[in-house]
């Protein structure tokens, strides 16, 4: 029985939240992977693009809530999400046309693109903070829990319960649908095949009659949509704060590089490895170990490797370790 309590505790505080967090990172990492695979540069503005799309979703959600529109028991943000996606797509295309397109025509070095993306990042960050401010914003409504801790305790007959939030289930389901669609799109559609061909050999793709501007446009559209969905799901599951998306960029890049730069499957795998690493390393194992030890025994300290304040340090350590030990990541080979 004590072992079951320990497993329930671990599932409640590690497995469930890490799975939802990993799904959110996976969507963000897929966007970074697509941009790198097609345009060949690290887009440091991706985190702020997530924030921008989420901000528009929040503003529309507030408008719908004030109008009395809802889809209870589901969050109203799901209704506003398509508008947030359209806004992020428009912003991404505007960024490309007004900034990145110039450097692409000049065939600039990827380092130049990366530096330019930092400038775009600061510009987007300023716009976001002017519009919505720097404070935490709450926009979640509807049912909070699908399974409550007390209900699961009674059902399982344990001292520890497993609570599953609605936002966590929505995150996993939406991520599964989006990822399945993305792989179908890349493998089966004409546009997806054109993107893969352009990624493999740009010059040969041009000789084959592929329109590079169309490929780039589709790439930005998909990346912006993924960013907005990831940001909105993260905001529903936790909270929305503009500064947090700049911090999330670190685990997203860590997941991308860990999985293999330009590898969609690797990005997903890397995202879950990073997510579980962050949650496990910052989890306090005191109560977990108490269940596994002798009766009325418990460690004196929290048995926590790192404070939750330093959870992003885990991503940094993973990022540095991968770059030093295996720069190609887990999956190596052709991108996209």
């Amino acid at each position: 029985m004590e072992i079951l309590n320990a497993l329930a505790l671990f599932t409640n505080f590690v497995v469930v939240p890490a799975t939802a967090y990993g799904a959110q990172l996976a969507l963000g990492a897929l966007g970074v992977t697509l941009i790198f695979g097609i345009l060949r540069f690290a887009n440091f503005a991706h985190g702020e693009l997530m924030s921008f799309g989420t901000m528009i979703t929040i503003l529309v959600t507030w408008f719908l809530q004030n109008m009395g529109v809802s889809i209870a028991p589901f969050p109203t943000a799901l209704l506003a999400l398509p508008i947030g996606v359209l806004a992020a797509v428009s912003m991404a295309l505007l960024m490309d046309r007004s900034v990145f397109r110039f450097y692409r025509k000049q065939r600039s070095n990827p380092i130049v693109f990366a530096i330019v993306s930092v400038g775009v990042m600061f510009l987007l960050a300023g716009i976001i903070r002017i519009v919505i401010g720097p404070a935490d914003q709450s926009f979640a409504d509807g049912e909070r829990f699908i399974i409550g801790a007390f209900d699961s305790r009674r059902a399982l007959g344990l001292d520890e319960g497993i609570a599953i939030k609605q936002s966590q289930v929505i995150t996993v389901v939406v991520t599964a649908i989006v990822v399945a669609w993305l792989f179908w799109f890349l493998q089966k559609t004409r546009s997806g095949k054109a993107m893969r061909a352009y990624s493999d050999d740009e010059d040969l793709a041009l000789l084959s009659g592929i329109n590079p501007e169309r490929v780039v446009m589709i790439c930005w559209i998909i990346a912006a949509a993924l960013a907005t969905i990831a940001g909105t799901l993260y905001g529903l599951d936790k909270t929305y704060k503009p500064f947090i998306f700049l911090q999330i960029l670190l685990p997203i890049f860590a997941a991308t590089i860990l999985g293999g730069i330009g590898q969609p499957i690797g990005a997903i795998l890397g995202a879950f490895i990073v997510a579980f690493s962050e949650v496990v390393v910052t989890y306090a194992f005191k109560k977990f170990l108490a269940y596994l030890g002798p009766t009325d025994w418990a460690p004196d300290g929290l048995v926590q490797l790192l404070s939750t304040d330093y959870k992003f340090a885990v991503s940094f350590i993973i990022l540095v370790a991968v770059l030093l030990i295996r720069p190609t990541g887990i999956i190596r080979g052709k991108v996209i």
Side-chain angles (χ1 to χ4, degrees):
M1 184 65 71
E2 296 303 313
I3 294 177
L4 292 178
N5 278 317
L7 289 175
L9 183 71
F10 189 79
T11 300
N12 190 43
F13 290 101
V14 175
V15 177
V16 173
T19 300
Y21 182 41
Q24 294 151 12
L25 290 183
L27 291 177
L30 281 171
V32 171
T33 295
L34 281 177
I35 295 298
F36 184 88
I38 301 299
L39 302 181
R40 304 293 185 187
F41 77 95
N43 181 23
F44 289 97
H46 193 74
E48 296 303 332
L49 187 60
M50 291 174 63
S51 183
F52 180 83
T54 306
M55 177 190 72
I56 299 300
T57 302
I58 292 173
L59 295 176
V60 176
T61 299
W62 287 344
F63 173 77
L64 292 175
Q65 290 171 343
N66 289 334
M67 295 292 291
V69 178
S70 72
I71 51 172
F74 300 105
T76 309
L78 295 180
L79 276 180
L81 183 56
I83 299 177
V85 169
L86 288 176
V89 167
S90 300
M91 177 58 73
L93 294 177
L94 178 62
M95 287 177 351
D96 181 67
R97 290 296 179 90
S98 59
V99 180
F100 295 114
R101 191 179 193 182
F102 170 79
Y103 294 97
R104 191 163 58 250
K105 287 184 176 180
Q106 302 294 321
R107 291 186 173 271
S108 298
N109 190 288
I111 296 177
V112 174
F113 275 96
I115 294 173
V116 170
S117 72
V118 173
V120 174
M121 176 189 74
F122 286 122
L123 178 62
L124 270 178
I127 294 173
I128 292 166
R129 284 151 184 73
I130 289 173
V131 174
I132 202 169
D136 288 14
Q137 305 293 345
S138 177
F139 65 104
D141 55 6
E143 292 292 332
R144 186 179 180 189
F145 290 99
I146 290 180
I147 300 176
F150 292 107
D151 294 333
S152 63
R153 282 180 192 174
R154 288 194 295 267
L156 297 173
L158 299 174
D159 295 331
E160 298 293 336
I162 301 174
I164 300 178
K165 294 192 294 184
Q166 185 188 73
S167 59
Q168 293 169 333
V169 175
I170 291 174
T171 292
V172 173
V173 171
V174 170
T175 299
I177 293 172
V178 171
V179 168
W181 174 87
L182 179 62
F183 279 95
W184 171 83
F185 176 83
L186 291 174
Q187 298 291 332
K188 301 298 183 181
T189 66
R190 186 174 179 178
S191 297
K193 292 176 181 178
M195 291 175 67
R196 290 166 55 207
Y198 186 86
S199 175
D200 287 341
D201 192 321
E202 181 179 345
D203 294 329
L204 185 58
L206 295 177
L207 291 174
S208 302
I210 294 175
N211 184 351
E213 290 301 320
R214 185 172 184 273
V215 170
V216 171
M217 180 184 71
I218 294 174
C219 178
W220 279 114
I221 290 173
I222 296 175
L226 290 171
T228 304
I229 295 171
T232 301
L233 293 176
Y234 184 89
L236 284 173
D237 187 36
K238 298 174 179 65
T239 185
Y240 173 84
K241 190 174 184 178
F243 291 107
I244 199 68
F245 289 95
L246 179 59
Q247 296 175 325
I248 289 178
L249 195 61
L250 179 58
I252 285 176
F253 270 89
T256 304
I257 295 173
L258 174 61
I261 300 177
Q263 299 289 345
I265 295 178
I268 297 170
L269 180 61
F272 281 99
I273 292 175
V274 169
F276 273 86
S277 297
E278 285 190 6
V279 176
V280 169
V281 169
T282 57
Y283 175 62
F285 282 89
K286 178 178 181 177
K287 195 173 183 181
F288 176 81
L289 294 176
Y291 278 120
L292 299 180
T295 305
D296 297 327
W297 172 88
D300 293 330
L302 292 176
V303 195
Q304 186 179 26
L305 296 177
L306 276 179
S307 168
T308 52
D309 294 334
Y310 298 100
K311 74 171 187 175
F312 291 119
V314 178
S315 300
F316 181 76
I317 294 170
I318 292 174
L319 181 61
V320 172
V322 172
L323 290 175
L324 290 175
I325 299 171
R326 190 181 172 91
T328 58
I330 297 173
I331 301 177
R332 62 175 73 181
K334 293 182 179 180
V335 297
I336 305 299

